[in-house]
Amino acid sequence: MNIGVISDLHVDRHQTLKPNDYLTVLLNLINEKNIELLLIAGDISNSYKLTAQFINDIERESGKKVLFIPGNHDYWTTDNDASSVEILEFYMNMKQCLIGKPYVINGDWAIVGNTGWYDYTYADPKFSLEKIEKRKYYGATWQDKVKIDWSIEDRKLSMIAAQQTIKDIEQVKDKKVILMTHIVTHPKFAVPTPHRLFDYFNAFIGTSDFNRIYQNYNVQYSIMGHVHFRNAFNEQGVAYICPCLGYQREWRTAEIENEMRHALYQFAI
């Protein structure tokens, strides 16, 4: 099976392009590269309605299976008609969402997915817990603070996400696992430090709560997003993949086709 993975499309953030422009380019690449299964590691848009529509449009127009997990932006309460908890429930009711529903590909392979959440361990230790919990630094505010209304604090939410992932992976523990998160689960994908801002803001990039999953289960591929890096490496038998498209201002060229082609990662099982 030929699998394509991508993350952080942010289809509603371009200055001139519309979501349908992203859809057209992605559909062309799916066909060109003969992708049979597309995995999206979150941050499709800032609106749960648009995110759901985009996922459904890809699957309908391509005729291929699409699976995703929401990113932090996908939980933003931009539409003002649902809480973040209600948005999570909405996604979990979508057939393409992996949370709570591991997907068995065949007798050998399965896919497990969860947004994950940040647990502050990637921040420079010079910052106190009290300072990190403010989610403000040098006049900048981490936007989840104002656009997500979880009632659970971040570190506990990270633990809950890891526990749910373990529960899901236990259902397919006899198989080789493709693990997909949005939050970074390997420190090599954190923003390199020292950095004036990300010494602090790395607190909201990754989690260490998934470490035990790699130690105890047969994870062969680990896909993540969030950080807007594009990179892949192998470590201790695991292929770590960060296939982020990212914001227009972060692109290397002005052309969406070039950028999406570069971001889209393929592998075969």
Side-chain angles (χ1 to χ4, degrees), residues 184 186-191 205 224 227 229 231-233 240-242:
V184 168
H186 196 296
K188 284 187 179 178
F189 287 129
V191 177
I205 292 297
M224 60 201 74
V227 74
F229 284 178
N231 194 13
F233 64 88
Y240 292 91
I241 304 162
C242 192

Side-chain angles (χ1 to χ4, degrees), residues 223-235:
I223 302 157
M224 60 201 74
H226 191 45
V227 74
H228 292 190
F229 284 178
R230 302 174 195 167
N231 194 13
F233 64 88
N234 289 274
E235 184 177 287

Side-chain angles (χ1 to χ4, degrees), residues 43 50 53 71 73 80 116 124 171 191 212 216 234 242-243 252:
D43 275 10
L50 178 55
Q53 178 184 333
H73 280 247
N80 295 319
D124 191 297
Q171 299 179 47
V191 177
R212 53 186 164 156
N216 296 328
N234 289 274
C242 192
R252 302 168 191 185

Side-chain angles (χ1 to χ4, degrees), residues 67-71 75 87-89 91-103 111-116 150 160-161 164-165 168 171 180-181:
L67 297 169
F68 84 106
I69 48 96
Y75 294 117
I87 291 171
L88 169 59
E89 292 172 351
Y91 288 135
M92 291 182 68
N93 285 324
M94 291 179 63
K95 63 184 176 65
Q96 302 96 336
C97 182
L98 282 165
I99 300 175
K101 303 190 295 286
Y103 181 80
I111 307 171
V112 174
N114 195 290
T115 303
W150 303 128
I160 291 171
Q164 177 66 58
T165 304
D168 292 347
Q171 299 179 47
M180 183 162 67
T181 64

